[in-house]
Amino acid sequence: MAAISTPRNLAGLDLAGLAQHLRDLPGVRGKAAIGLVTEVFGRSDWQTGPGDDGAVVLDRGHQLVVGGEAMLPSFVARDPRAAGISAVLANVNDLAAMGARPLAIVDTVVGPQETAREVLEGLKWASEAYDVPIVGGHLTETDGPPSLSAFGLGSAERPLTVARAAAGQALMLVGCFEGRMRADFPYFASFEERGERLAGDVRLMAEAAETGVAAAAKDVSMAGMIGSLAMLLEATGLGATVDLEVVPLPHGVQMADWLGCFPCLVFLVTTPPEKVPALAELFATRDLGAVRIGTLDASGLVQIAAGGDREVVFDLSKETVTHL
């Protein structure tokens, strides 16, 4: 893969300011509303949810994974084709983070005809790029604000779950670190860089699960890298310190933007230290990166570190991101 910038001297970085910035991301603040689910349905478990990127449904010995995503309405209105692509991407990434291979997607589209057409064109493009069929859905034509949701179905031989995260495991950042940042939205796209390889790329997480080189995972999404890490750890109350001096940083991208964006194909994965080489080798087979950025611990603190200093971003002994 193309070279990336791995900063070695970040002593002048404003860690406190960066930590506050990462806490205040709209993608982090928006996750708090998920707590309403627990208020209504009560506590549950990782299989039936809520808590992971999808729910595992057992059907006569088969393990199916289901999930769904709603796109930000302003994003749908501004760039409906990109929203259609993102709806597929978000679902296949969620399924991948559960160790599942995508089987199918359905969607719901609401909006003016031309907007709906562009959304559908984006859905179609991504369906072909990721080799996952869109098997149905619902469309309502209206003059009102557009909206888009999509729902994914996958199968998993050995589902990944945040419940298997444990102190002492290595924290890995894996995926594609090549691409470009959108100017109007905190999204890092790698479509041009990966091209026809995308379908195989997103199925690599299932292989990591099946071979036992991954214990738990979370895709880096709108909460950013550190917010997504907090979501991975909040169910167990574990902590981790992310070493910013080893975090792979794409050329031309600022650290704050990279830590706060939604990348096309990047996952946080935990694994026993002795399995780090095997995990890295697996991703190298597809010319993808796998870098150890920290170690899970029992502190409950999600921290960032650089230049010998560290700063707490989330204290999971006192708070959670999703309020589940």
Side-chain angles (χ1 to χ4, degrees):
M1 61 188 302
I4 54 175
S5 172
T6 305
R8 298 299 177 186
N9 183 11
L10 295 176
L13 185 66
D14 179 10
L15 276 185
L18 179 57
Q20 189 61 52
H21 166 74
L22 296 173
R23 285 182 58 87
D24 291 341
L25 289 172
V28 170
R29 295 199 308 268
K31 297 294 183 182
I34 302 174
L36 178 64
V37 177
T38 296
E39 291 181 23
V40 175
F41 285 90
R43 294 184 61 83
S44 187
D45 60 83
W46 76 272
Q47 282 194 317
T48 54
D52 264 296
D53 284 307
V56 178
V57 179
L58 303 179
D59 179 33
R60 293 169 290 183
H62 299 285
Q63 298 183 101
L64 302 176
V65 180
V66 295
E69 293 285 347
M71 296 295 102
L72 190 66
S74 59
F75 181 36
V76 181
R78 184 186 311 137
D79 196 340
R81 184 177 185 276
I85 293 172
S86 297
V88 174
L89 177 150
N91 273 281
V92 296
N93 279 2
D94 280 352
L95 293 172
M98 295 290 294
R101 289 181 168 82
L103 296 176
I105 287 176
V106 297
D107 61 77
T108 60
V109 183
V110 177
Q113 184 180 84
E114 284 309 308
T115 299
R117 181 184 297 279
E118 290 188 53
V119 167
L120 292 172
E121 288 174 350
L123 289 166
K124 180 176 183 292
W125 184 91
S127 168
E128 294 170 351
Y130 285 102
D131 192 23
V132 54
I134 295 178
V135 297
H138 173 85
L139 190 151
T140 296
E141 186 176 334
T142 175
D143 292 331
S147 65
L148 167 65
S149 296
F151 311 89
L153 172 69
S155 63
E157 292 184 15
R158 182 182 181 272
L160 296 174
T161 166
V162 295
R164 293 201 188 100
Q169 290 177 351
L171 175 63
M172 306 288 293
L173 190 72
V174 307
C176 180
F177 310 133
E178 303 171 80
R180 63 198 67 190
M181 194 77 71
R182 279 186 67 122
D184 61 341
F185 195 73
Y187 179 71
F188 183 79
S190 301
F191 299 115
E192 292 183 10
E193 289 74 14
R194 298 311 295 175
E196 62 184 15
R197 294 178 290 180
L198 280 169
D201 291 346
V202 83
R203 287 161 171 81
L204 200 58
M205 286 296 298
E207 188 172 345
E210 292 158 8
T211 57
V213 298
K218 178 74 71 173
D219 69 309
V220 178
S221 58
M222 283 305 299
M225 189 186 304
I226 307 304
S228 297
L229 174 60
M231 292 168 64
L232 189 159
L233 298 177
E234 64 182 15
T236 55
L238 295 171
T241 298
V242 174
D243 184 353
L244 299 185
E245 295 185 7
V246 301
V247 168
L249 182 66
H251 283 306
V253 179
Q254 298 298 311
M255 180 65 77
D257 294 336
W258 179 236
L259 297 180
C261 77
F262 179 178
C264 176
L265 187 82
V266 177
F267 299 87
L268 293 159
V269 178
T270 76
T271 188
E274 66 272 15
K275 295 185 178 181
V276 167
L279 179 64
E281 183 178 347
L282 176 63
F283 276 80
T285 62
R286 295 196 61 82
D287 196 27
L288 293 169
V291 179
R292 183 171 183 173
I293 61 172
T295 302
L296 303 196
D297 58 52
S299 69
L301 302 177
V302 177
Q303 304 181 90
I304 51 176
D309 296 324
R310 63 180 62 198
E311 191 75 27
V312 175
V313 184
F314 299 99
D315 183 348
L316 299 180
S317 69
K318 301 177 181 179
E319 61 182 338
T320 63
V321 176
T322 64
H323 293 199
L324 288 174

